[in-house]
Amino acid sequence: MSIELKSVSKQFGEVAAVNNVTFSVNEGELLALLGPSGGGKTTVLRMIAGLEVPTEGDIYIRGQRVNDIKVQKRNIGFVFQNYALFQNMNVFKNIAFGLKIKKWKSADIKARVRELLELLGLEGLDKRYPHQLSGGQRQRVAIARALAPKPSVLLLDEPFGAVDAKIRQELREWLVRLHHDLNVTTLFVTHDQEEAMEVSNRIVIFSRGNLEQIGTPRDVYEQPANEFVARFIGVMNVLELEVFKNVGRAGELQFPAPGYADGERIRIGFRPFSVQISSDLNQFPYQAVVRQTYFLGVMLRLELELESGLLLRSRMSKEEYANLALYDGKKVSLQIRNYRILSREHEPLGPELTAPEKSSLFVGEGI
Amino acid sequence: MAAQRFRVLPGFGLTMGFTLFYLSAIVIIPIAALFLKSFQLSWADFWRVVTTDRAMAAYKLTFGASLIAALINAIFGTILAWVLVRYTFPGKKFIDALVDFPFALPTAVAGLTLSNLFAGNGWLGQFLVPLGIKGAFTPLGVIIALTFVGMPFAVRTLQPVLENLDRGVEEVAATLGAGRLRTFVKIIAPTLLPTIITGFALSFARAVGEYGSIVFISGNKPFQTEIAPYLIVFRLEEYDYLGATAIAAVLLVISFVILAVINYLESWAGRYQR
Ligand SMILES: Nc1ncnc2c1ncn2[C@@H]1O[C@H](COP(=O)(O)OP(=O)(O)O)[C@@H](O)[C@H]1O
Ligand SMILES: [Mg+2]
């Protein structure tokens, strides 16, 4: 176990920035701390580094309790959101800073810096000052500086926050490769769920100081622990239904809702993948019109308008889209394969349910 | 052909013209007049007037005391600014306001107050004079007064830069194992140095030009506590206008050279910044 947090809380005056958080990070893992801004991600990172003292709880690094160990002694590589490079030192001196403190021999320092310059694609920039570098180069210098003393853990706060979309994509792939090459335990903070899903082995999801879920990208997508996670990870269609005679309705859509009283309002959620579309208007029970098509690389997202005016989001591959001969304005029929009944925000979700054929619903309604 | 750079705001010509006019009216024309006037003396006469023993002693005191005062301000002003920016303590607002005091106080009042304070029977003087520390009517008094008037320049120049200093840089240094002292010496001090030098320069320039407070605290004894500006006034009172302007021209040239050197130091210290 590389890092362990046990019932860690952090209070800033009245603000509970982190609330009784427990999780552990495996040696060599690439872990994302994901959550909306203000969720306490940075505070968790800072507590691990020793830049912030937990109000309660214990932190362990490689089995050793570090609560009382100073920042300087924790052997951690920290990359700040704004990189925080030493403006008065050139790239070489920035990277060598930690090594000088550890009293490495000058020849060893040179070799190590050269190795890192090469690893991070910074060859030939060693004499430059930070203001003479591009944003991406600055970030890589910051990472090289953090990695130089061979830290036991690398902590990155919003590493992709300050760069534009295209470079972001490259950086993600680059971070995965770097992690693969070095195999150093890495925690990075992000508020972008797509980024977390794509890059990490596991994701820790935070909201308002609480740990909502920890799991692989697939776990949190397919088995969200609660509605917050379900809505934060990926896209989700959410509908409010009114129950009458064990059937919940929103517009023309109907879902079985056994056990709920008449007049009760419940909410359900389903992923865009669950919305099945056919160009045969009679194949599926509901009629809709394609309103908008968004092209997201190999996948497409469709916005569909039902006859009642309800809007649903669906997702499919380009091939499927071509096979169905879809276009904006085309009429289609659709059904919703499975859905979950959502409860209050932070309570566990109901199980995934399969929507029955429309005809069977009518039986229930007809009584 | 180089394309002309697009400018958001028009009026480069206008503002440049105004700048040149303003500079000429306020700075260049008076300086030129000063030199022209002193050139009415022959070179030999000029040299004789400006190199009398009395004048030499006055230059030494003016520039020596000003440099020492500016140095004191650079060091203690930095500490004061640091405390005001980095810590919260009761009475901080009051102390912060107090820093401006020497700006606002008429210099004559400052001189009177200081000389009373440090005179043999003054509040501080009664304790200091028996110890051999004579703060009034000595070169030390001149240094004290010049430090007093220059202090706000050093503090106020540094404060905004300190406020904008990135704390992350210190924290990164700590994660890399650096203690406070190393972080200060290797990172913070070099970052602040250009600004400290600017504060030093302003404080120095202010000290060279100071007159009002010195005439009270120094006693103006020729060869001992007479500053160059006082000597100029003294010459004027003798109706020796040419002698006065000659000394003024010398002051001007020395000040200019020193400021040029400081300017160079400043850009050297900031060589890695934009
Ligand atoms: N030094 C601090 N003093 C007071 N409140 C803080 C401090 N640092 C963070 N907070 C508060 O703690 C909460 C979590 O902040 P943070 O950890 O920065 O969240 P995130 O990184 O997820 O955006 C926020 O409400 C923030 O205002
Ligand atoms: Mg943050």
Side-chain angles (χ1 to χ4, degrees):
Chain A
M1 212 63 84
S2 184
I3 305 173
E4 261 185 288
L5 276 77
K6 288 188 182 162
S7 310
V8 171
S9 300
K10 178 69 190 182
Q11 200 81 25
F12 289 110
E14 295 290 286
V15 183
V18 175
N19 219 337
N20 194 16
V21 163
T22 301
F23 70 90
S24 53
V25 188
N26 299 320
E27 194 69 50
E29 196 170 15
L30 177 51
L31 189 98
L33 299 182
L34 172 66
S37 163
K41 308 179 295 292
T42 298
T43 306
V44 166
L45 222 56
R46 290 173 61 85
M47 286 192 291
I48 295 172
L51 295 169
E52 217 75 74
V53 180
T55 315
E56 267 174 71
D58 296 315
I59 299 174
Y60 295 82
I61 297 177
R62 288 190 169 158
Q64 186 191 15
R65 185 171 175 275
V66 294
N67 287 49
D68 304 317
I69 294 183
K70 283 194 297 185
V71 207
Q72 284 90 346
K73 299 284 173 213
R74 288 200 190 183
N75 193 26
I76 271 179
F78 201 114
V79 178
F80 277 72
Q81 207 166 349
N82 65 354
Y83 317 141
L85 294 179
F86 306 138
Q87 299 294 329
N88 58 316
M89 298 182 194
N90 62 26
V91 169
F92 183 96
K93 286 190 171 165
N94 264 280
I95 300 174
F97 188 80
L99 302 177
K100 285 215 176 110
I101 293 171
K102 295 203 162 159
K103 302 210 163 61
W104 281 38
K105 288 204 203 74
S106 127
D108 294 345
I109 293 180
K110 271 195 193 128
R112 178 69 175 152
V113 173
R114 203 139 309 288
E115 183 188 348
L116 285 162
L117 288 172
E118 201 172 306
L119 180 68
L120 296 170
L122 293 164
E123 296 105 326
L125 300 178
D126 50 332
K127 296 277 187 312
R128 297 252 190 114
Y129 283 96
H131 74 87
Q132 297 166 315
L133 301 173
S134 73
Q137 289 169 337
R138 274 179 219 177
Q139 182 180 43
R140 278 178 281 155
V141 173
I143 294 176
R145 180 178 62 180
L147 286 173
K150 306 194 170 160
S152 52
V153 192
L154 180 62
L155 306 174
L156 303 146
D157 195 357
E158 306 257 2
F160 313 113
V163 291
D164 59 58
K166 169 144 172 47
I167 300 178
R168 267 177 106 96
Q169 184 58 42
E170 287 171 17
L171 275 174
R172 287 182 204 178
E173 291 162 16
W174 175 83
L175 181 66
V176 172
R177 262 204 319 279
L178 182 79
H179 177 258
H180 185 262
D181 291 347
L182 295 176
N183 216 28
V184 57
T185 309
T186 306
L187 260 79
F188 77 97
V189 164
T190 176
H191 59 260
D192 181 335
Q193 49 98 8
E194 221 176 288
E195 205 163 87
M197 300 285 278
E198 189 179 318
V199 174
S200 60
N201 305 135
R202 286 196 301 157
I203 302 179
V204 184
I205 299 166
F206 280 95
S207 112
R208 300 203 209 122
N210 296 305
L211 192 158
E212 303 288 350
Q213 189 171 6
I214 174 164
T216 63
R218 191 169 176 161
D219 285 345
V220 296
Y221 186 76
E222 288 179 357
Q223 310 291 333
N226 55 39
E227 185 181 345
F228 172 81
V229 176
R231 298 182 72 161
F232 194 70
I233 301 287
V235 178
M236 185 117 167
N237 291 295
V238 177
L239 294 176
E240 189 170 273
L241 310 180
E242 189 169 343
V243 179
F244 185 69
K245 297 209 163 144
N246 293 325
V247 175
R249 290 155 213 266
E252 66 268 58
L253 298 179
Q254 307 188 15
F255 300 87
Y260 290 92
D262 285 0
E264 200 171 343
R265 291 183 163 275
I266 60 170
R267 282 174 317 131
I268 61 157
F270 47 93
R271 298 285 186 200
F273 277 120
S274 298
V275 179
Q276 222 172 353
I277 296 175
S278 169
S279 28
D280 174 0
L281 292 182
N282 295 318
Q283 187 175 351
F284 294 132
Y286 307 111
Q287 315 283 305
V289 178
V290 179
R291 277 292 168 233
Q292 282 279 353
T293 311
Y294 302 93
F295 296 85
L296 317 161
V298 289
M299 298 302 291
L300 297 168
R301 193 162 79 220
L302 301 178
E303 208 169 83
L304 301 154
E305 187 177 339
L306 292 159
E307 283 170 338
S308 62
L310 276 177
L311 289 174
L312 298 181
R313 282 170 294 181
S314 172
R315 199 175 156 97
M316 64 179 63
S317 68
K318 274 191 175 150
E319 284 153 10
E320 243 179 300
Y321 185 79
N323 288 342
L324 292 169
L326 296 180
Y327 51 85
D328 289 1
K330 183 176 168 89
K331 279 197 169 168
V332 294
S333 69
L334 65 79
Q335 71 169 352
I336 293 143
R337 268 185 307 198
N338 31 40
Y339 62 96
R340 287 168 193 278
I341 296 182
L342 305 175
S343 48
R344 258 169 246 105
E345 268 241 323
H346 297 277
E347 280 167 20
L349 289 183
E352 194 147 56
L353 304 172
T354 308
E357 296 297 312
K358 193 179 183 183
S359 49
S360 62
L361 273 176
F362 279 124
V363 176
E365 195 194 14
I367 299 167
Chain B
M1 206 180 84
Q4 202 180 342
R5 243 184 82 184
F6 174 77
R7 288 194 179 81
V8 179
L9 293 176
F12 170 73
L14 188 69
T15 48
M16 189 64 197
F18 180 75
T19 305
L20 287 179
F21 169 76
Y22 192 80
L23 261 180
S24 323
I26 304 283
V27 183
I28 298 173
I29 292 175
I31 289 177
L34 179 70
F35 275 101
L36 283 177
K37 181 93 181 168
S38 60
F39 287 162
Q40 290 174 9
L41 286 167
S42 73
W43 178 249
D45 285 342
F46 177 85
W47 192 249
R48 192 178 38 74
V49 170
V50 300
T51 57
T52 59
D53 290 347
R54 184 173 175 180
M56 294 304 273
Y59 303 143
K60 232 159 112 188
L61 180 64
T62 291
F63 290 103
S66 297
L67 282 174
I68 293 171
L71 201 64
I72 293 172
N73 280 329
I75 295 166
F76 290 98
T78 301
I79 295 172
L80 184 51
W82 182 270
V83 169
L84 286 175
V85 171
R86 282 301 171 97
Y87 304 104
T88 40
F89 49 88
K92 175 170 159 167
K93 283 239 165 72
F94 178 71
I95 292 182
D96 196 74
L98 220 54
V99 169
D100 286 330
F101 199 53
F103 270 148
L105 199 67
T107 50
V109 178
L112 264 178
T113 314
L114 288 173
S115 55
N116 278 330
L117 208 56
F118 286 102
N121 54 359
W123 270 10
L124 291 173
Q126 57 181 316
F127 304 112
L128 294 176
V129 171
L131 296 173
I133 303 170
K134 297 194 189 93
F137 316 121
T138 59
L140 178 64
V142 176
I143 294 174
I144 291 172
L146 293 182
T147 307
F148 178 81
V149 297
M151 185 268 291
F153 290 91
V155 177
R156 291 290 183 238
T157 312
L158 193 57
Q159 250 175 338
V161 178
L162 266 177
E163 271 159 13
N164 288 328
L165 209 62
D166 180 8
R167 293 281 187 106
V169 168
E170 291 161 54
E171 294 180 332
V172 160
T175 64
L176 292 167
R180 283 160 204 257
L181 184 66
R182 183 192 292 263
T183 305
F184 187 82
V185 172
K186 294 283 184 188
I187 299 160
I188 300 176
T191 312
L192 295 181
L193 195 60
T195 317
I196 293 176
I197 294 176
T198 306
F200 175 87
L202 290 172
S203 164
F204 170 77
R206 175 75 178 82
V208 170
E210 177 58 14
Y211 174 77
S213 64
I214 306 297
V215 292
F216 291 98
I217 198 170
S218 77
N220 309 311
K221 278 180 289 222
F223 299 104
Q224 288 174 29
T225 59
E226 184 180 59
I227 54 168
Y230 185 81
L231 184 59
I232 295 173
V233 174
F234 187 80
R235 291 276 180 259
L236 286 177
E237 282 172 353
E238 291 179 325
Y239 303 108
D240 180 5
Y241 294 121
L242 286 178
T245 43
I247 294 172
V250 170
L251 280 190
L252 197 87
V253 169
I254 300 177
S255 297
F256 186 80
V257 169
I258 292 179
L259 286 177
V261 170
I262 290 174
N263 219 315
Y264 172 77
L265 277 180
E266 208 177 307
S267 67
W268 170 82
R271 65 200 174 281
Y272 43 76
Q273 283 160 1
R274 239 173 291 230

